[in-house]
Every structure is written in structure tokens, then in C-alpha cells.
Amino acid sequence: MSPDPFFVLLEACDNPDLDPAGATAHVPREHRQVLSLAEAQRVCLEFIAQYDLGSGNWAGGRVTSCGKGVAYISYNGRAWTLDRQPTPIHL
């Protein structure tokens, strides 16, 4: 039996300090299946680079398994506990 997959949310939002309304409308919102937190980190960083997002535009990064939150991937690619405490998850 294989382990339950992870899903990571990839999403952008407009930065009200810098962007005109609708500036990120071309960026899709998706849940991508990944096999590990390390892959979730890579996928998030690739998404950020592909759409040239700034830190104020990054709205994704929530990682789930079996419908429950398990981690958060920040703009810099680090994996954190879901409550975003300053202790990163060690992979």
C-alpha cells in the first residue's frame, strides 16, 4: 500500500501596495499532488518563478494529506508547521 499523497495549494493574490487590481488574474489557482514535502517545496518555488510572483503575491503553500493540513511552504521555499511557528520542518 502506498502512502497517502500530499497536495499543495498554488495560488497568487494581488499585492494592494504595488499591483493594480487584477494584476494576478492570469495566474491559475490549483492543488497539485506531490509525493513529499521536498517536492511540495520545489513545486512552489517553480510556480513562484514561472509567474514572477513577489512575496506579497504568494497566497499558496498550504500542504494537505487526507484533507487535513500538515505544513505550509513559504515564499522562500521553507516548510513550516501549519501554525507557522518559527521552527521549520526538517526534511
Side-chain angles (χ1 to χ4, degrees):
M1 181 196 255
S2 63
D4 292 319
F6 292 106
F7 290 87
V8 62
L9 174 63
L10 304 173
E11 184 176 27
C13 64
D14 292 342
N15 182 335
D17 295 329
L18 301 173
D19 298 330
T24 59
H26 68 287
V27 180
R29 180 183 191 269
E30 61 180 284
H31 283 91
R32 180 132 2 128
Q33 184 175 335
V34 294
L35 298 175
S36 66
L37 289 177
E39 184 180 3
Q41 289 173 298
R42 181 184 56 76
V43 166
C44 287
L45 289 173
E46 288 173 356
F47 183 86
I48 289 165
Q50 177 181 357
Y51 293 102
D52 195 27
L53 301 178
S55 60
N57 299 118
W58 178 237
R62 182 174 168 86
V63 181
T64 59
S65 181
C66 297
K68 296 183 180 182
V70 296
Y72 169 75
I73 309 298
S74 59
Y75 176 78
N76 65 1
R78 293 183 81 175
W80 300 86
T81 59
L82 201 55
D83 58 3
R84 300 185 191 188
Q85 291 299 308
T87 305
I89 295 171
H90 298 286
L91 303 176

